[in-house]
Every structure is written in C-alpha cells, then in structure tokens.
Amino acid sequence: MPILGIGVYDIPERETQRVVEDAVSVGYRSIDTAAMYYNERAVGDAVRACGVPREELFVTTKICDSCYTWEETFRSVGHSMKLLGLDYVDLMLIHWPVGNPTVMWQALEELYHKGLFRAIGVSNFYPNTFPKIVSGAKVMPAVNQCEAHVFYQQRKMLEYLRPYRVELEAWSPLAEGKHGIFTNPTLAAIGEKNGKTPAQIALKFLVQYGIIVIPKTTHKERMQENIDLFDFTLSDDDLHVIQRLDTGHNVTGWPADALTY
C-alpha cells in the first residue's frame, strides 16, 4: 500500500472523477473512498478512465456502519462493488465500530478468502473496540484508519497497534485546515529550512513515523504539493519540536477523546 494517497471524503460525486484523475496524473496511486461518501461510482469511473493499469492502483473503500448480520454485510459490500464496477478492491474497511463489528469482520474474512479484497482492515477502532476484531480474527486487520495529524499525533495508538503488526493510517492528516496548520510558526520555520510548506512538513512528520496519509484536496496544485515529500528528511531536532504541537485531542469531534489505552 502506498504510504501516501488521495482521500475523497466530502467531495461531490460530480467532481470526484476529475479529482481522482488529476491525482493519478501527478503520481498518486492510492485512492480512499467509502460508501458513506456517496462517490464510489465516480472513483470507479476514474480508475477505468485514468490510463493507469488497474493493478498499479490501490483502491480503498469502507462499508456502511449499520450491519448486524452477514447478510447485511454482504449486501453493503455488494452495493459498493457494484458502484465501483471493479473486480476487487485492494483494501476494505469497517468504517466505524457500530452495528456488530465481530460479525462484519467474519463476513469480510470470508470475502477476503474468496479474493474480493486484497486486504481488510478497520477505521476508527480504539482500544475499547479494537479487541472485538482481533480476539477471534483469522485474518488480522492490515490497517486501522484514525484521525491523526501534528495536533493529534496518535503516538499511543502507534504503540498500541505495533504488537498486532497493524499499520496506522491517518485521515484528516492536515487537521481539516484547523488550528492554523497552514501558517503555524513551528511548521513554517522548519519548512523554510527545508524549502517546503507547512503542509508538507505536517505530512512528512507522519510519513516519517510510518503513518499512511490520505490528504484531501480538489486542487491539482495542492495535490502536487502534498505528494512532494520524498526529497528531504526531517532531522531528529525537527521531529522533537513538532512533537510539542501535540494537544492529545482531536479537532473533528469524532470519535470522542475519552478513549483509554
């Protein structure tokens, strides 16, 4: 799985195909969508139209939250696959720990073994819900996708997932533009030293810790900026300074902060 991809949360379906095709044209090979984003059809259209072979692209989607039975899970998966129009997806996630995650996971395992998914994982699972998946899993989650950025660095989550060999993937890696992330003096100073923007420094911080990032933008020039992370390395001093930006709290309000490790 590429460590950097394009996210399409909250992008209208009428714009999504163009956004994904633009992203692929500047070098992205990973696309993250979900049933609740209501743009899976456009993602599939972009995959077919972009000119890059399917096997070179990594497509992630997430099933809806309200599944309590195998049958409901199969229906949710089937609906997503129909909209995407793909023979397989590279990563299928349970979007939120609601419904019956244990039953949902068992259903995803079966479909994984049938070849419908190359990998399966979870999203927004914390230590109060993650054990419901792994305690009886025959296939371990490949990733846990959670909010993570310089203001909510999820270092405890990284440590929590390490024994399970589960990767952390960051949604909203630019904190939805909140807390002045694009003009933050710390990020700006480090960016000036490295010839990079605050956004690039914020993304590089996560990437350098091995966290997968899927920043969202509809602007091609921002896509190019966000992917231009691999010609420099943050120093240990830079990393320590950025660590001080961590508030220990999310900025989106969901899931709640009151989750224990």
Side-chain angles (χ1 to χ4, degrees), residues 184-198 200-201 232:
N184 181 273
T186 297
L187 300 177
I190 295 173
E192 184 174 357
K193 181 173 63 173
N194 288 277
K196 298 293 179 178
T197 66
Q200 289 170 317
I201 299 302
F232 75 107

Side-chain angles (χ1 to χ4, degrees), residues 3 88 127 129 152 173 194 237:
I3 200 165
Y88 68 93
T129 51
Y152 189 46
N194 288 277
D237 287 343

Side-chain angles (χ1 to χ4, degrees), residues 150-154 243 245-251 257-258 261:
V150 295
F151 304 125
Y152 189 46
Q153 294 175 16
Q154 294 279 25
Q243 284 178 358
L245 298 178
D246 192 3
T247 67
H249 300 283
N250 64 31
V251 301
D257 287 325
Y261 286 82

Side-chain angles (χ1 to χ4, degrees), residues 125-137:
F125 278 68
Y126 282 75
N128 58 337
T129 51
F130 191 77
K132 296 177 182 178
I133 297 297
V134 299
S135 60

Side-chain angles (χ1 to χ4, degrees), residues 44-114:
D45 289 343
V47 167
R48 285 181 289 276
C50 69
V52 172
R54 170 68 184 95
E55 61 272 16
E56 295 181 18
L57 299 173
F58 193 100
V59 179
T60 300
T61 194
K62 312 172 194 75
I63 58 175
C64 68
D65 310 326
S66 56
C67 300
Y68 288 87
T69 66
W70 285 47
E71 290 76 15
E72 289 175 331
T73 306
F74 290 159
R75 280 198 299 272
S76 180
V77 168
H79 185 63
S80 287
M81 297 304 296
K82 181 178 179 180
L83 290 175
L84 286 164
L86 303 176
D87 294 331
Y88 68 93
V89 297
D90 298 273
L91 178 62
M92 176 65 79
L93 304 180
I94 298 176
H95 204 156
W96 290 94
V98 295
N100 189 326
T102 302
V103 169
M104 292 164 72
W105 189 255
Q106 292 169 349
L108 292 190
E109 286 181 326
E110 179 175 319
L111 294 171
Y112 165 80
H113 286 301
K114 290 182 177 180

Side-chain angles (χ1 to χ4, degrees), residues 214-232:
I214 45 171
K216 182 200 83 172
T217 180
T218 60
H219 303 288
K220 194 171 183 178
E221 63 274 16
R222 296 296 184 195
M223 296 175 194
Q224 184 62 65
E225 176 184 332
N226 290 343
I227 203 173
D228 188 19
L229 305 179
F230 303 102
D231 59 352
F232 75 107

